[in-house]
């Protein structure tokens, strides 16, 4: 029968005859089938974000565990090898993968510098080990293995031909012995064949010309550690004045830095610091019309004084802002800046680049709306403008400008209302020049959208944590974040409150709820943050019918007594200190849940392999009643020896418990303290 | 800051700046980001076997349901469109996709001819519908929508510019009315805007230049219906002689065809029909040495008389075999041939192509082994031979030879012990010339291997059905086959027994077990088969310590009384007749399970949308005791009206039950009959 291919090699060189495929490798790369003798199949390599379209995310020192299905036809022994390198390195390093059952293999490496690493998997049929294992079985069954020893000798000799130095010498020597033993002593030959050293030298020199190398190379982006472990505090700098009635300034904020440091925060996030628009300015409590003197919302960006590269005059000068960045840095605190790509009607863009907005037939500019609601103080940018290329460049220049001024963390406001393509490009470009820059996506929206933003480059993301209020739903959500494919690209940042969100649990649950949500956020996620001092002062009166604070700081200037002491602040300081001292809390992925009989409680552990640090957290999620439960701890997962007693030291109450085995009873009274945070001492 | 890209367009034309990716589209195909104005993201299209590396499988008339996540930034209305075509057609057809919640979309098409179809997804921001829905809300909130009507008029006019004929005329006319209404009657303008006809014409003519087309095109291979619905009978032609002691022939088999047809089978599968080797021939019961006159195993292929293209002389001539194919075809029965690529030591290949085998240092050829076991009657082919190209060609020529002789179904013996690359190439080439050819993979091995064989081209596959003996594990397995990604490429063929497998349930469970396993196989899977007459005669004495028949027909010639009546045969004939008459049983994927309180019972339904045919099957999987249970039927999934009574007609016992609602009680005595097979009459 006629074939449409001129030759087999034609077929092989196009990988598969049937489909123009997304995963079809370039013709220039090595293929599964480039030679008919390649028998090993490699499938399902992970991590692989969107099939490899985007890199997985890790930080320096964080393990990259690579997994794959690797198998061959027939019964021969198969081996799998992880190949990886720093992107700009020339050669791949090799790590033998471990068999994990059901044709699945695993190996890991720990990246030690920032940037992109590449990895793929190689698989081959190991005829030597196949022979060695068969030899052992035959010998144990009292079969004559004389010919088998000759087969082994041949293999060693063949391998010696491309081995070098000592290895080549050893292989030839062993082959000679096998040939001798084949005539005189089968037992001695078998003993030699089974020696580990023989297998090692054969592994090192094995001819892998029939090996399959997976045709695609995947990438992981390795970032600085702060991308994974950070402790955020949000405040409005205009509310930092020590004198009531005066607009707060950057200088005032600088004076607060020791306090913020004392509370244990290492990121200070400021709402937008740009000039605030006057047209359609919102009044107190989001009133449609402002009274004279109302300061407006910082998110209504832009006035005659300038736009996204300008500073609101009453906050201070650029110099003041840079001093704040600098002095904060001296105290171990980074300033996170708000990027909100939207304009007040007074923003200079409206006059300078009218083509970036939509215009209505009556000659007015289109404001934001969610019909029938109107948000006339805000103009959305039209990402479908014909002038998109200049628009993208200008918006990126805002990021470049502030990076140049010393900013390394951006909290991006509503990134899901701007084009995905823009973010992918802008974040990639900014981080290419300054890989320390961290982008936090403030997208409280649908799952696919939040996930996509993380895939295309956002380094941290807000989450649904704020609305997960019972142990079952919180556990499910944590499993989704830490055990689903999201683990490889979506880095959570947990916020119990924000200026936009006062969740009902805080409104109704009082201080017990504040402490409970704080402990959960700070111990479940290694990135977490609070909007204060509203949080530590338990200010929880909602605007009627809304899950937002009454008299919101978004629309007015507050005067705070920064020295006020509360139970929440006391715990907050302890928790941040505990986070600092316990490396197990510098990671989000090392989470293991306990089985808890009482559905009002949640118990989980985290461990840090390198330091041996083990943390166990028990939280009563009912802020109203004492709850107790028998709890089955995940001892094995946490690396706790279940055959010896161990001490659980509660770092909040400073009390010690001696426990034995998996089952223990835990009781928590929310009016005393709704949580234990134990360090396990073995 | 300096950028590594010369321009944005550089960035866009390489899709993503970060990763050399497997899913990175060709530079010549349209990209997500080819223009910055494209705001819609498309992800996770299914079916997509191995990310699109292999085609999904369907048969003619079987629905292809395409799903995808499609979304955009912001709050505008997004629409998704399925694009598909027969591979050789020029233009894609369009089907609007339906929103299925959570940014997920679905649409389907029904392929009406054999071959490859291609599909992909397009998504766009629908500004017209966004405007229309907003207009309605604003009008209902008593807002002035005068300017909105002008915006709508502009949209219609712009669309009219590239619309043609009547549509262009209509759009201009409606625009004119909206402009009129904008001054005179907002209500009338809103009414017009909401008219379905306006939306339809706008949909048909909408400017989709900013639409995103997914960069990859996926394929589905559409096969003849028999690939999905077939009823197999396996017999040894050498056991078909009516006279005891005489070797059966193809002529004898031809005489049995009416009987096989009467039993309701449409595929007759024969073990290998080639000359049987003499060297190391196996004796009765797999004895290591044969006695003179022992016929040997048909799977020890090849003697001086010839190899895989020759016919065992005692079975008849090539002419006889072709007559069998022809006469069977006349009676609606296809002959399935066994392809076992292995050689007896006497196979002509051993002398003609010694390079295709492994040779031992003592000058002997390497036999098959699983140390310490030896299978010296069988030589495996060495797929790592340097001469692999000629080997592949010769092996494919065997398939071509028998296809030319009229064979359209191959049952492939142990495909997992031959190189995957060979099968992918050979099956692709054979089916390219003769797309009716069906390959059944007889791989009883590990999951990843069985799955891979199906992905690379096998049209049907043996399964683990034979070893799923309680309702829970059987249900889990069915969910894996029908609801996991396997659904798109792995077509099960269920066998309750084979010449190699006599499962314990048949050994111990007696006739009730035979009937129970038959009903399960025939109603769960639209492809199923039996090895007979051992099955219908309940011949269940095992070889001691093995799950195989004693005195196996693999090693000896049997004489059967083909006219013998048994209860199993009676049910078998009924079941095959029921399968023929009920289109719901011509499909494997339309399966819905009932909730059953008794863990010994399994209950499931199947429905056929086109005909309205609904089948409900209840099986007592305990062959020893009567079992009864309350059962909650999946009425909604099966399309049964739960507010009316319905009749369940048991086609086995010919009895009728009138039922109402979801819950019903079912009881089955295995000594009467272990199953109901109901047809639902509404």
């Amino acid at each position: 029968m006629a074939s449409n291919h001129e030759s087999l090699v034609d077929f092989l060189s196009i990988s598969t005859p049937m489909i123009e495929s997304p995963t079809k490798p370039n013709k220039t790369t090595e293929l599964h089938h480039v030679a008919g003798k390649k028998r090993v199949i490699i499938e399902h390599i992970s991590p692989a974000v969107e099939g490899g379209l985007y890199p997985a995310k890790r930080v320096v020192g964080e393990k990259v565990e690579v997994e794959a299905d690797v198998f061959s036809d027939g019964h021969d022994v198969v081996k799998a090898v992880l190949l990886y390198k720093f992107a700009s390195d020339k050669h791949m390093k090799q790590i033998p993968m471990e068999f994990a059952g059901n044709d699945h293999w695993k190996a890991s490496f720990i990246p030690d510098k920032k940037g992109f690493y590449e990895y793929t998997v190689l698989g081959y049929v190991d005829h030597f080990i196949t022979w060695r294992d068969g030899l052992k079985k035959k010998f144990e069954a009292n079969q004559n293995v004389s010919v088998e020893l000759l087969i082994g000798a041949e293999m060693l000799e063949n391998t010696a031909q491309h081995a070098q130095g000592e290895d080549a010498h050893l292989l030839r020597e062993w082959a000679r012995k096998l040939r001798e033993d084949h005539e005189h002593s089968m037992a001695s030959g078998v003993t030699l064949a089974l020696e580990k050293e023989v297998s090692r030298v054969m592994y090192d020199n094995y001819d892998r010309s029939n090996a399959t190398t997976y045709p695609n190379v995947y990438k992981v982006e390795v970032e600085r550690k702060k991308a994974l472990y950070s402790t955020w505090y949000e405040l409005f700098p205009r509310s930092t004045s020590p004198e009531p009635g005066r607009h707060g300034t950057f200088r005032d904020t600088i004076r607060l830095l020791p306090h913020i440091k004392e509370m244990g925060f290492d990121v200070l996030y400021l709402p937008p610091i740009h000039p605030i628009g006057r047209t359609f300015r919102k009044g107190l409590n989001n009133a449609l019309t402002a009274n004279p003197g109302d300061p407006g919302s910082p998110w209504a960006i832009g006035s005659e004084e300038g736009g996204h590269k300008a500073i609101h005059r009453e906050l201070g000068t650029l110099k003041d802002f840079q001093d704040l960045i600098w002095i904060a840095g001296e105290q171990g605190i980074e300033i996170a800046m708000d990027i909100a790509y939207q304009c007040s009607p007074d923003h200079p863009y409206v006059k300078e680049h009218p083509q970036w907005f939509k215009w209505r037939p009556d000659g007015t500019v289109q404001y934001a709306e969610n019909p029938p609601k109107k948000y006339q103080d805000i103009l959305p940018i039209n990402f479908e403008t014909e002038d998109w290329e200049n628009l993208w460049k200008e918006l990126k220049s805002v990021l470049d400008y502030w990076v140049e001024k010393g900013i390394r963390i951006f909290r991006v406001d509503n990134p899901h209302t701007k084009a995905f393509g823009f973010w992918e490009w802008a974040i990639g470009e900014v981080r290419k020049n300054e890989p320390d820059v961290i982008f936090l996506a403030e997208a409280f929206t649908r799952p696919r959208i939040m996930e996509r933003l993380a895939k295309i480059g956002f380094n941290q993301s807000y989450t649904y944590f704020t609305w997960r209020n019972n142990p079952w739903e919180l556990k499910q959500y944590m499993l989704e974040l830490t055990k689903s494919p999201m683990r490889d690209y979506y880095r959570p940042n947990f916020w119990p409150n924000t200026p936009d969100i006062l969740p009902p649990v805080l409104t109704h649950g009082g201080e017990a709820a504040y402490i409970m949500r704080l402990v959960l956020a700070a111990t479940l996620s290694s990135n977490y943050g609070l909007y204060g001092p509203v949080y530590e002062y338990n200010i929880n009166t909602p605007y009627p019918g809304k899950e937002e604070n009454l008299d919101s700081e978004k629309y007015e200037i507050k005067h705070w007594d920064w020295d006020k002491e509360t139970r929440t602040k006391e715990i907050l300081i302890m928790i941040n200190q505990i986070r600092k001292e316990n490396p197990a809390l510098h990671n989000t992925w090392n989470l293991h849940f306990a089985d808890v009989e009482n559905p009002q409680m949640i118990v989980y552990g985290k461990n840090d392999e390198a330091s041996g640090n083990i943390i166990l957290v028990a939280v009563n999620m009912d802020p109203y009643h004492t709850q107790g439960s028998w709890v089955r701890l995940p001892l094995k997962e946490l690396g706790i020896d279940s055959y010896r007693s161990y001490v659980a030291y509660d770092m909040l109450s400073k009390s010690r418990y001696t426990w034995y085995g998996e089952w223990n009873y835990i009781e928590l009274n929310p009016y005393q303290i709704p949580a234990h945070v134990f360090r396990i001492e073995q």
Side-chain angles (χ1 to χ4, degrees), chain A residues 146 169 226 233 301 386 401 517 585 633 653:
Chain A
S146 168
H169 172 74
K226 195 153 216 116
Y233 193 72
I301 295 171
E386 295 297 326
Y401 178 85
R517 298 299 296 177
L585 296 174
L633 301 174
S653 67

Side-chain angles (χ1 to χ4, degrees), chain A residues 635-655:
Chain A
L635 297 192
K636 197 184 151 200
E637 292 80 355
L638 294 172
I640 300 172
D641 183 350
S642 59
Y643 295 100
R644 288 170 47 200
S645 64
Y646 52 95
V647 171
Y649 170 62
D650 183 357
M651 295 178 281
L652 293 176
S653 67
K654 320 282 186 209
S655 41

Side-chain angles (χ1 to χ4, degrees), chain A residues 273-286:
Chain A
I273 58 169
H274 315 299
I276 297 172
R278 299 214 151 262
T279 307
F280 293 112
R281 174 178 284 191
K282 291 291 177 70
L284 306 189
N285 279 308
N286 203 17

